[in-house]
Amino acid sequence: MHPSCLSRLALSLALLASLFIAQATEAQEAKALSLGTAPELFVDHAFIDSMKDASLKLWDPRLAENVLTFDKPWEMHYCGYVTVIQDGDLYRMYYRGLPKALADGSDAESTCYAESKDGIHWTKPNLGIYEFNGSKDNNIILKDHAPFSHNFAPFLDSRPGVPANERFKAIAGTHKLGLYTFVSPDGIHWSEPSEKAIITDGAFDSQNVAFWSESEQQYVCYFRIWSESDDGFGKFVGHRSIGRSTSPDFVNWSPTIKMTYGKTLPEHLYTNQTIPYYRNPALYIALAARFMPGRRAISEKEFAALGGIATYSKDCSDTVFMSSRGGTSYDRTFMEGFVRPGLGLNNWSSRTNYPARGVVQTSDEAMSFYVQRDYGQTSHHLQRMELRIDGFASAHAPYSGGTLRTKVLTLQGNELVLNYATSAAGSVWVELQSPDGTPIPGFTRADCDEMLGDFIERAVIWKGNSDLSTLKGKPLRIVFTLKDADVFSMLSR
């Protein structure tokens, strides 16, 4: 072949190669995940491509103090379906008051209110709104509205432009009626229920929760259904499960869709408590009550000695952890109990260990959620549970070491920041790679300054420098090398 032809062929091949590389780069950028200032938690495999000798670890919450005793005559043994909301500097709590057994959906139920300045110390204000036994000296915010106090579930509406008099919304209802809505300007004084139900194709015999989804740009509602009922929702057949409906305006709602749970065995999920995680609203956290009907750990005689009645001695339950990133599926990476009943007999009765709706920050390093204890007993109360911030789960490796490789992502900031903890002998190293796995010069593991200690936020440093501005917006992978260490979350700022 003539040299000029060879030259033209080589030029053509080079142009084709550069075009292929450009197209491949564009494709990688198009499919790359975005890592920004909202922390991405290692609660699922959303950002994980592969792990070797490492795994995802569910953490045990620390048992903190009892924050509220249900000891008022309008509260007592059968209080339930607790909601906790952080409203600026004020923490608000809502729950069902019910002193009588087996009086669900009756006027024996009321909706009660408590508040706190720190999420730890709670008071029950005398609101003077409703009368109980001839006195308005109580903390009741809804009464004589059966059956709505059975499962009245408020939320703080974060939708931009929401009218001031609708800043708080709530849903409540039963299978016979459907779910109705309430609104409030202050979270204490509530409107009458809506003229008609917003959602009717569900069982609703539980706490049903709703919120404005920033990531999906719509209202979402998660509520009780039954897995194998004839019509999909009404008759109580199969397992207690979760349905979802969505709305652009909190008035018009989509048909109910059953949530899925991956390739896991079906379990009775009594409440779901699905919420947007307060540090990353695109990630939904669900602390669900797992109900084990007929699984007895305490005899009727033993339960009677604790002040309970036989009906509530024949089952047991605990709290499990689930997550979702929108849509109609939950991730159940962790099937283990998140909050166990624990030592003694008190929390092995039916319908105890149910979590409240809400995860709130209670210090610079810790967040809290709340669990009902001693249900159906004279000692019925609410206990605070504590975790480090982002600390539901972690990417973990033992002393012998392990690695985690992320999917292709782009950094939206100039630093990579980790929430991590090591032992005194442990370490975290970080390497940045191109999408094909080639280490990026200057950001290899050998270049990385060893990370040890325990930090909620600490930037990764390579050769004394954390600046990643030259890589901002470019597709790459992150490879963690861990030794006796845990990484709870990562972000880019």
Side-chain angles (χ1 to χ4, degrees):
M1 182 178 291
H2 193 278
S4 63
C5 293
L6 287 172
S7 177
R8 286 196 295 270
L9 177 60
L11 180 61
S12 298
L13 291 173
L15 289 172
L16 285 172
S18 63
L19 178 62
F20 176 79
I21 292 171
Q23 290 176 337
T25 301
E26 289 178 3
Q28 290 166 350
E29 290 176 349
K31 71 177 183 180
L33 299 168
S34 177
L35 182 62
T37 56
E40 295 295 345
L41 278 59
F42 287 104
V43 296
D44 58 17
H45 291 78
F47 277 72
I48 299 173
D49 179 65
S50 62
M51 290 185 286
K52 182 179 180 181
D53 300 322
S55 61
L56 296 185
K57 173 184 175 180
L58 184 68
W59 281 74
D60 293 325
R62 185 181 72 84
L63 305 182
E65 65 285 312
N66 300 335
V67 296
L68 204 73
T69 301
F70 302 119
D71 55 1
K72 299 298 183 182
W74 53 88
E75 299 174 341
M76 304 303 288
H77 297 40
Y78 307 103
C79 284
Y81 300 150
V82 180
T83 296
V84 176
I85 297 170
Q86 187 166 357
D87 179 18
D89 295 331
L90 185 65
Y91 298 75
R92 302 176 184 269
M93 182 187 296
Y94 304 84
Y95 55 95
R96 178 187 70 202
L98 181 57
K100 297 180 181 179
L102 308 176
D104 293 358
S106 73
D107 277 336
E109 295 178 311
S110 61
T111 303
C112 306
Y113 173 84
E115 61 186 27
S116 170
K117 293 295 180 66
D118 58 9
I120 299 172
H121 305 92
W122 292 83
T123 60
K124 302 175 185 178
N126 294 322
L127 299 175
I129 301 174
Y130 286 95
E131 186 176 294
F132 182 87
N133 286 350
S135 172
K136 289 187 176 182
D137 189 10
N138 59 61
N139 63 329
I140 297 173
I141 61 164
L142 191 70
K143 187 176 180 290
D144 302 327
H145 280 71
F148 297 122
S149 280
H150 176 62
N151 54 7
F152 189 83
F155 69 98
L156 182 59
D157 191 349
S158 60
R159 179 177 63 85
V162 65
N165 65 335
E166 298 181 8
R167 198 166 73 93
F168 289 86
K169 291 182 172 66
I171 56 173
T174 61
H175 168 58
K176 291 182 179 180
L177 295 178
L179 288 182
Y180 283 69
T181 64
F182 298 74
V183 296
S184 170
D186 59 5
I188 295 177
H189 301 89
W190 292 84
S191 68
E192 293 294 309
S194 55
E195 293 184 1
K196 62 179 182 179
I198 57 168
I199 306 173
T200 57
D201 49 348
F204 312 128
D205 55 321
S206 176
Q207 186 173 0
N208 312 288
V209 298
F211 56 87
W212 170 257
S213 170
E214 179 181 322
S215 58
E216 298 186 70
Q217 286 295 294
Q218 60 186 345
Y219 290 99
V220 294
C221 184
Y222 295 86
F223 48 89
R224 162 72 64 76
I225 62 173
W226 284 73
S227 63
E228 300 171 24
S229 58
D230 293 340
D231 62 2
F233 310 107
K235 295 182 180 179
F236 296 175
V237 180
H239 287 82
R240 295 166 175 84
S241 192
I242 303 164
R244 177 179 130 126
S245 181
T246 63
S247 170
D249 54 13
F250 209 67
V251 176
N252 303 289
W253 290 80
S254 67
T256 297
I257 297 178
K258 295 181 179 181
M259 295 294 290
T260 61
Y261 310 91
K263 297 179 180 179
T264 60
L265 293 174
E267 294 185 306
H268 287 273
L269 298 175
Y270 209 101
T271 60
N272 70 82
Q273 310 301 32
T274 306
I275 56 170
Y277 181 50
Y278 73 100
R279 279 170 46 89
N280 183 352
L283 172 65
Y284 303 164
I285 298 299
L287 303 181
R290 176 169 57 185
F291 185 59
M292 309 296 291
R295 189 168 173 83
R296 181 188 290 274
I298 183 172
S299 69
E300 292 183 12
K301 183 177 180 181
E302 289 171 323
F303 194 49
L306 298 175
I309 62 173
T311 302
Y312 294 98
S313 67
K314 60 184 179 180
D315 316 301
C316 61
S317 54
D318 58 12
T319 296
V320 294
F321 177 89
M322 306 189 300
S323 61
S324 177
R325 293 183 183 264
T328 58
S329 63
Y330 283 113
D331 184 279
R332 293 213 63 188
T333 294
F334 309 103
M335 297 296 291
E336 300 81 10
F338 186 49
V339 179
R340 294 183 178 185
L343 287 169
L345 294 175
N346 293 65
N347 290 308
W348 288 94
S349 62
S350 184
R351 293 165 173 80
T352 195
N353 310 309
Y354 281 17
R357 179 195 186 275
V359 176
V360 295
Q361 190 163 329
T362 45
S363 76
D364 290 341
E365 295 84 25
M367 59 186 185
S368 299
F369 64 99
Y370 307 82
V371 174
Q372 286 182 247
R373 299 294 203 180
D374 299 5
Y375 186 83
Q377 303 166 45
T378 54
S379 54
H380 189 200
H381 63 275
L382 195 71
Q383 183 177 20
R384 185 173 70 92
M385 317 295 287
E386 189 174 78
L387 290 163
R388 71 182 291 136
I389 290 173
D390 301 346
F392 301 107
S394 67
H396 170 80
Y399 182 85
S400 55
T403 59
L404 181 151
R405 183 178 186 241
T406 71
K407 296 176 181 177
V408 177
L409 54 81
T410 58
L411 304 177
Q412 302 306 305
N414 297 325
E415 289 185 319
L416 176 62
V417 178
L418 304 183
N419 179 342
Y420 76 95
T422 74
S423 71
S427 299
V428 176
W429 291 272
V430 180
E431 177 172 279
L432 303 184
Q433 298 179 351
S434 61
D436 65 4
T438 303
I440 298 174
F443 302 99
T444 68
R445 174 184 165 173
D447 296 319
C448 183
D449 293 4
E450 182 183 21
M451 304 181 74
L452 68 156
D454 194 328
F455 299 92
I456 300 298
E457 289 192 0
R458 190 172 179 89
V460 184
I461 296 173
W462 292 268
K463 292 185 175 179
N465 187 9
S466 65
D467 182 21
L468 298 176
S469 58
T470 58
L471 300 176
K472 184 177 179 179
K474 296 180 179 180
L476 54 79
R477 297 181 190 268
I478 304 171
V479 178
F480 297 98
T481 300
L482 310 174
K483 175 183 177 182
D484 198 8
D486 295 271
V487 178
F488 298 90
S489 65
M490 59 181 179
L491 59 86
S492 174
R493 68 182 178 194

